[in-house]
Amino acid sequence: MKTALPVLLTILLFLSACGQSGNKESSGDETGVSGKEQGSNKTNGRFKPEKSGKVVARVNGVPIYEEELRGQPVESLVTDEILYQEGLSEGIEKKYEDKVTQFQMNLVVRDVKDKILAGMPPEKEMTDQELQDYYNSNKDLNYTNIRVQEINFTDKKLGEQILKMAQDGKDFNEIVKELPDTGSEFKVNQLGFDKKLNMYFDAKEVGALSPVIEKKDGTYSVLEIQEVTVIPFETARNAIKFVVKARKKGAAFKEYAQKIAKEKNYNVEIVKQQGQ
């Protein structure tokens, strides 16, 4: 770092001298860039458009503006610019093209959504009944927490037998002891509270059983609810208000997009993945 600093200062002095020379040729342009230099700062694939503002340094003709410092020493931005141009010469930027495109897309979509919202009538205050209706419709799925245990096994053929024994009131550990030795592996696991498991139960009550489930690892399970906790409406009220507002906005964006697609004859094709 001690060796690098004098080198950077030398670069800066040189760049400053070039900038002053540019000022003399530019008849008062506050950027310190002569007419010949304007728009010509392309090197190593690096192009940065000229704009009004005080130039504090240049690297291969690429300007660094005072407003870009944001409290940082100019040497730091010079270092970054040198390293950036070196990265461009090595083609490193190509690995980030998709991310840059996605970031640009997100910014553009955000601006269009802001325009849509600005054109909408003032939003009405949501009533308690509207919030309560949403809560009641989604209570089992979103506002009910269940603590679950599973009996996990490797032989699919034993699934119905295990489920029948559980339906008859046998504890999972008892079932493991009573099952015949068929070479299948058995394990009782405590899965804790997990909302993602709600989908496997029709009734959210202690003792409720799931059907036989095939897992991604190729094993099978039967689940049992051991505890049920319901989040009260008053506790969930603010979160529900946020969700309902987000859904209304999403509906407005979808309607606007569909209108554009119809008016401009967009070709929209949704390709379903296998298994969907």
Side-chain angles (χ1 to χ4, degrees):
M1 182 63 72
K2 290 182 179 179
T3 305
L5 188 57
V7 174
L8 290 172
L9 290 174
T10 301
I11 294 173
L12 288 172
L13 288 173
F14 174 75
L15 293 172
S16 176
C18 291
Q20 290 175 3
S21 174
N23 281 335
K24 292 177 181 178
E25 298 174 7
S26 64
S27 64
D29 184 351
E30 64 174 343
T31 66
V33 183
S34 70
K36 294 180 180 180
E37 290 175 318
Q38 288 279 2
S40 63
N41 55 61
K42 188 170 184 179
T43 181
N44 293 333
R46 165 69 158 152
F47 176 74
K48 187 176 182 181
E50 299 283 354
K51 61 182 180 180
S52 62
K54 183 178 180 181
V55 175
V56 294
R58 290 183 182 276
V59 178
N60 283 333
V62 176
I64 297 173
Y65 296 95
E66 185 177 52
E67 66 185 46
E68 296 174 323
L69 297 178
R70 296 185 180 87
Q72 301 176 80
V74 67
E75 295 91 343
S76 178
L77 270 71
V78 168
T79 297
D80 286 350
E81 183 60 42
I82 292 171
L83 297 180
Y84 181 52
Q85 291 187 27
E86 174 61 16
L88 292 179
S89 71
E90 296 176 9
I92 294 176
E93 79 283 0
K94 291 180 175 61
K95 65 190 281 191
Y96 298 110
E97 287 177 350
D98 288 345
K99 290 183 178 180
V100 170
T101 300
Q102 185 61 52
F103 182 67
Q104 182 186 51
M105 176 182 173
N106 292 341
L107 292 176
V108 172
V109 169
R110 185 193 64 186
D111 282 1
V112 176
K113 286 182 174 180
D114 287 344
K115 182 182 76 172
I116 295 170
L117 294 176
M120 292 174 61
E123 190 174 2
K124 296 180 180 179
E125 185 67 24
M126 280 178 281
T127 65
D128 282 349
Q129 188 60 52
E130 187 177 4
L131 299 177
Q132 186 74 57
D133 289 345
Y134 178 87
Y135 174 80
N136 293 337
S137 299
N138 295 273
K139 183 177 178 181
D140 282 351
L141 188 61
N142 297 330
Y143 303 105
T144 301
N145 294 323
I146 55 174
R147 183 165 60 84
V148 176
Q149 70 170 346
E150 72 167 349
I151 178 169
N152 183 249
F153 49 97
T154 57
D155 188 351
K156 183 180 181 180
K157 295 177 182 177
L158 294 174
E160 292 305 318
Q161 182 182 351
I162 291 172
L163 182 58
K164 178 66 168 60
M165 294 171 74
Q167 289 170 340
D168 290 340
K170 289 188 179 294
D171 179 82
F172 280 180
N173 290 301
E174 286 182 74
I175 294 174
V176 171
K177 292 177 183 177
E178 294 183 16
L179 284 170
D181 184 6
T182 61
S184 180
E185 296 179 14
F186 303 96
K187 191 174 182 181
V188 176
N189 299 313
Q190 301 299 322
L191 303 182
F193 285 95
D194 190 343
K195 281 184 181 178
K196 293 193 295 290
L197 301 178
N198 283 13
M199 61 185 289
Y200 295 113
F201 298 93
D202 293 329
K204 306 300 186 298
E205 57 188 27
V206 174
L209 297 166
S210 74
V212 178
I213 300 167
E214 183 175 0
K215 302 177 73 172
K216 291 182 179 179
D217 62 3
T219 63
Y220 302 87
S221 284
V222 172
L223 310 179
E224 180 184 34
I225 297 178
Q226 293 188 300
E227 184 180 347
V228 179
T229 302
V230 178
I231 301 173
F233 169 71
E234 288 302 327
T235 302
R237 176 195 290 270
N238 289 335
I240 292 172
K241 187 178 291 188
F242 177 83
V243 171
V244 173
K245 283 184 177 181
R247 288 195 167 196
K248 287 183 177 181
K249 289 179 181 179
F253 300 149
K254 182 178 179 180
E255 181 181 355
Y256 188 89
Q258 290 177 338
K259 180 182 177 183
I260 292 173
K262 184 176 180 179
E263 290 177 350
K264 299 189 176 182
N265 198 28
Y266 280 19
N267 181 24
V268 179
E269 180 184 2
I270 297 177
V271 182
K272 291 187 177 181
Q273 296 181 1
Q274 190 174 5
Q276 286 187 329

